[in-house]
Amino acid sequence: MGIVIAIVIFGLIVTVHEFGHFICAKLSGIKVLEFSVGMGPKLLQKQKGETKYSLRALPLGGYCAMEAEDAANSDPRSFRNAKLWKRMVVLAAGPFMNFVLGFIAIIIFVCMMDGVPTTT
């Protein structure tokens, strides 16, 4: 049971992290080709608009594939053609969302405490 809980928590962390990249890319006008949670063969896939959403077999990570991340492209909505500040925001959004998730988790755990521990 502990392994299942660890996989679910890790999946949540990865999903929140990749969602940070995804939402900032979409709001910045950068074309997102695929949003995927997990690696390996696809278990589920859905195309909505220009973006494919997929759940993959191995819960070891995920990715948010944007247009022309690794190669030059003439598409004005590609990652490489976006302004520098937009690219920086998209790249920083994933780690930022991990901090947000941690903050929310701390608030939840503190609210679940029965009493206030004291030294007296």
Side-chain angles (χ1 to χ4, degrees):
M1 185 66 175
I3 294 174
V4 173
I5 292 171
I7 290 172
V8 168
I9 290 172
F10 186 69
L12 175 67
I13 292 169
V14 167
T15 302
V16 168
H17 176 92
E18 295 302 330
F19 181 74
H21 295 307
F22 171 79
I23 196 68
C24 281
K26 285 286 195 178
L27 292 174
S28 297
I30 297 171
K31 185 176 182 180
V32 178
L33 301 175
E34 185 172 1
F35 177 79
S36 177
V37 176
M39 298 288 183
K42 294 176 187 169
L43 298 176
L44 300 170
Q45 180 178 347
K46 182 177 182 175
Q47 178 88 27
K48 186 174 179 187
E50 64 189 11
T51 306
K52 287 182 191 174
Y53 300 90
S54 61
L55 179 64
R56 295 177 178 254
L58 303 172
L60 301 174
Y63 61 90
C64 180
M66 292 170 260
E67 181 72 32
E69 274 183 289
D70 54 357
N73 191 331
S74 62
D75 186 354
R77 293 184 54 216
S78 70
F79 182 76
R80 288 260 175 139
N81 291 335
K83 292 182 179 180
L84 178 62
W85 70 269
K86 287 183 180 183
R87 288 183 282 166
M88 290 174 60
V89 167
V90 169
L91 292 176
F96 176 76
M97 289 300 287
N98 287 120
F99 284 113
V100 171
L101 179 63
F103 183 73
I104 291 170
I106 289 171
I107 289 174
I108 289 170
F109 291 140
V110 168
C111 289
M112 290 173 46
M113 290 174 53
D114 286 336
V116 178
T118 65
T119 57
T120 58

